[in-house]
Structure formats: C-alpha cells, structure tokens
Amino acid sequence: MKHFKHMQASSADEAANEAKAGTAWVMAGGTDLLGTLKDEIFPEYPETVIDLKTIDGLDSIAEEGDTLRIGALAKLADVAESDLVKTHAAALAQAAGRVASPTIRHMGTLGGNVCQMHRCWYFRVPDDRFHCRRKGGATCPARIGDNRYHSIFGDDNGCFASSSHDTAPALVALEATVVTTKREVPAGEFFGAHGHRSNVLEDGEVVKEFRVPKVAKSAFQKFALRKSIDFPVVNCAVAQTSDGATRVVLGGVHPAPWRSKEAEEAVAGGVSADTAQAAGEAAVSVAKPLGKNAYKVDIARTLVKRTLMDIAG
Ligand SMILES: Cc1cc2nc3c(=O)[nH]c(=O)nc-3n(C[C@H](O)[C@H](O)[C@H](O)COP(=O)(O)OP(=O)(O)OC[C@H]3O[C@@H](n4cnc5c(N)ncnc54)[C@H](O)[C@@H]3O)c2cc1C
C-alpha cells in the first residue's frame, strides 16, 4: 500500500474544498475505500485521504414533516435499527440491515454504502491488471469474459458491472434526494458508471445527507450466495408512494439501480398475488443477459414477485 497523507475534516465544505483537485479522496467508515487502496486497483493513487468521521452532526437520523433526514455518516446499523426508518422507510431499514456483517454495519455509513465503487472483479483486480472502461480502457472485459455476476440489462457508458450497494435500490424506490455540498440530486439520477465512481459526484463534492419522503408501505429483499456476509447477486426494493403508485427497483442487475417501469405498470391497479407474478415476468421481459448470467433473470423475476408480496393487501 502506498503512503498517503491523512486529514481529519471538521466540516463537509472543508472536505469538499480539499478534495477539489482530485488528488484527495474522502473516507467515511473506510470499509470499502481502504480495500481499494490496499489492492492498488487504480492507475492513480490519492495523495491525501480525508476522514469525514471527525465532522460533527452528519450522523443524525431525524424527521421533518413528511420527510426523514438521514446524515451521510449515519452508521448502517443505526439506519437498520432506527424506529423512524423502520416505520416510514422500511425498505431502507431492511436494506441497511442486510449489508455485510454486524462489524461492517457498525463501521460502514449510509453515505459510504451509496458511494461505494462497483464490485466487478475486473475493475477490482489488484495492480490495475485489467485497464477496463472505467479506468479509461477501450472495452469492458466482462462483456465476453466471466460475467456471471454482471449486468442483465445492458451497459452504462460501456461498463457491464452490476451495482453492489444494498441501500441504493431502496433510496431510488423511496424517491429520496441526495444532498451534496453542491446540489440536490434525485436518487434515481445519482447512480451509474462514471469513471471510477458509481455515481455522478464530481471531484470536490461530498454527500451530506439523504432526504427520504415517508411512505406507509415499502419492502426490500436480497438474494446472495451466502446468508452471513455477501454482496447481492440481485436485490429488490419496492415502495408505495403517496399518490398510490408503486415503485419497483432492482439492484445487482445493471451498473445503476434498475427501475422497472414494466413491473410498475403490472401493479398499477394494486398489488395481489396475480399482479405481483405478472410484475416479475414484466420486469425481466426486457432483460439481455450476457453469456454466463442468464440464471440472474430467474432470480430477478422471483425477487420482484416476493418483494411486492411483502406490501400486498
Ligand atoms: C467483506 C465485505 C462485505 C461487504 N458486503 C456488502 C454488502 O453485502 N452490501 C453492500 O451494499 N456493501 C457491502 N460491502 C461494501 C461496504 O463495506 C459497505 O457498502 C459500506 O457501507 C461502505 O461504507 P463506508 O462508510 O465504510 O465507506 P468508505 O469505505 O469510507 O467509502 C466508500 C466510497 O464512498 C466514498 N464516500 C464515502 N462517504 C462519502 C460521502 N459522504 N460523500 C462522498 N463520497 C463518500 C469514498 O470516497 C469511497 O469511494 C462489503 C464490504 C466488505 C469489505
């Protein structure tokens, strides 16, 4: 691991200002970032790592009228156990509670979970051995390589990685807003394959909080190979918004969380066993699996149906 300077930030704006040049990267719990630095997966390495954990007040979970305000430094364990989140944004509490292990949930933050980089094994291979699309290369090795965990809904900027953050589909389904030091971005427009990032953040932009509209009904389900500690193969979040519409969002199936308008149309008249089954079929009707990941289509179909059944009735 190369040496880097360590700076403790006292405010989000100070961290953002320091990170402007692109040679200083921010760190929250460090459970994702430190692994990428140790493995030296990037062609370039930060000169400085800015610790956000020293910023006061960015870890609160509070309500303001019809909205929950959750600080970017809120620990995943606290999000999972918060009565406010469990009552008004159940899908988010369930998703946070399914991330990794208790240890990582006590270190890892909501901001870090949302901003984590993709888990694609070509992108993450130590010493930058695959100079993939995300690092400025010409092609995505997963397109014809070992793509068993990759996208089943096509590419994003030529990248076929799949999103690996459990809380992201929940935030999109709940129509949350990501508040940064520069702007407010709807969660549905925040994610994707943008350079080494999995989101639209620019150098010198730090996430401060998430604003989550309260909903009466929402749910999350995850399929992973191991129950104890594992990234999602596919996950799914659904939410019924105040206008009665149902949002259906899959993760692990595309570089960004995949909102399925097809599934949403299938349950537009209400969620029942029949419409949930139809929504699962509709969701995967537009899938384009790669050579080794057609099995994920079956998992996505079933997960959509099961997650919708959690809010039926
Ligand atoms: C063994 C293992 C298992 C895991 N399993 C899962 C899993 O099942 N599901 C899952 O979703 N994740 C999983 N993770 C990934 C990760 O640890 C968690 O997502 C965790 O929530 C990351 O949070 P953090 O605060 O530690 O982020 P950090 O490691 O501190 O940061 C992650 C990234 O986000 C950026 N960042 C952090 N905070 C901000 C901010 N406020 N503004 C802008 N950028 C920011 C950092 O620069 C970095 O690029 C796993 C990790 C490990 C090591």
Side-chain angles (χ1 to χ4, degrees):
M1 188 165 179
K2 290 183 186 138
H3 288 269
F4 54 79
K5 282 185 234 151
H6 183 247
M7 180 200 146
Q8 296 184 317
S10 55
S11 73
D13 287 332
E14 184 196 22
N17 199 37
E18 282 295 324
K20 251 197 235 149
T23 51
W25 296 7
V26 298
M27 176 181 78
T31 61
D32 181 48
L33 182 75
L34 290 177
T36 65
L37 298 184
K38 197 168 158 209
D39 287 340
E40 297 183 12
I41 71 171
F42 303 107
E44 280 143 28
Y45 208 78
E47 285 167 18
T48 307
V49 170
I50 306 168
D51 193 350
L52 303 178
K53 289 194 297 298
T54 43
I55 302 173
D56 280 339
L58 267 196
D59 60 352
S60 68
I61 301 175
E63 60 184 329
E64 192 178 87
D66 291 338
T67 306
L68 297 182
R69 296 183 61 176
I70 307 177
L73 291 179
K75 298 267 168 53
L76 291 166
D78 294 336
V79 175
E81 284 152 27
S82 156
D83 286 335
L84 274 180
V85 184
K86 282 197 267 190
T87 306
H88 302 296
L92 181 60
Q94 291 161 9
R98 289 297 310 277
V99 173
S101 62
T103 324
I104 290 177
R105 291 196 293 275
H106 278 92
M107 278 299 291
T109 62
L110 184 59
N113 188 260
V114 162
C115 296
Q116 69 176 279
M117 288 171 248
H118 287 93
R119 280 276 148 183
C120 168
W121 45 32
Y122 294 108
F123 176 66
R124 292 238 174 193
V125 79
D127 308 321
D128 188 29
R129 287 204 292 280
F130 290 97
H131 195 65
C132 72
R133 281 286 291 165
R134 306 288 297 286
K135 298 171 185 172
T139 56
C140 171
R143 199 171 64 80
I144 53 169
D146 190 338
N147 46 40
R148 75 187 92 157
Y149 297 126
H150 290 75
S151 172
I152 56 170
F153 287 107
D155 71 300
D156 189 357
N157 287 324
C159 168
F160 286 85
S162 59
S163 62
S164 47
H165 13 39
D166 276 314
T167 60
L171 289 168
V172 176
L174 290 160
E175 300 189 317
T177 299
V178 185
V179 182
T180 79
T181 44
K182 281 189 182 162
R183 53 191 164 150
E184 296 184 7
V185 189
E189 295 166 23
F190 185 74
F191 300 95
H194 302 276
H196 69 268
R197 292 195 175 95
S198 63
N199 54 57
V200 298
L201 289 182
E202 295 161 4
D203 289 341
E205 188 170 16
V206 173
V207 176
K208 293 201 294 190
E209 78 170 0
F210 301 90
R211 296 207 183 121
V212 187
K214 294 177 181 175
V215 300
K217 283 185 176 182
S218 68
F220 171 86
Q221 290 221 13
K222 167 175 177 175
F223 179 89
L225 295 185
R226 291 173 299 184
K227 270 199 172 154
S228 53
I229 169 169
D230 215 347
F231 286 91
V233 173
V234 181
N235 56 23
C236 180
V238 301
Q240 248 164 20
T241 47
S242 52
D243 56 2
T246 302
R247 301 266 175 272
V248 180
V249 184
L250 286 156
V253 296
H254 185 259
W258 181 263
R259 183 170 161 199
S260 174
K261 299 258 174 74
E262 294 80 9
E264 291 174 6
E265 272 165 32
V267 289
V271 182
S272 65
D274 285 344
T275 60
Q277 169 83 32
E281 298 292 347
V284 298
S285 63
V286 291
K288 296 179 276 187
L290 299 164
K292 293 184 173 61
N293 66 8
Y295 74 96
K296 286 176 74 168
V297 173
D298 293 333
I299 296 171
R301 179 192 297 113
T302 304
L303 223 48
V304 167
K305 175 184 157 191
R306 285 188 186 165
T307 319
L308 281 167
M309 285 309 292
D310 285 345
I311 61 160

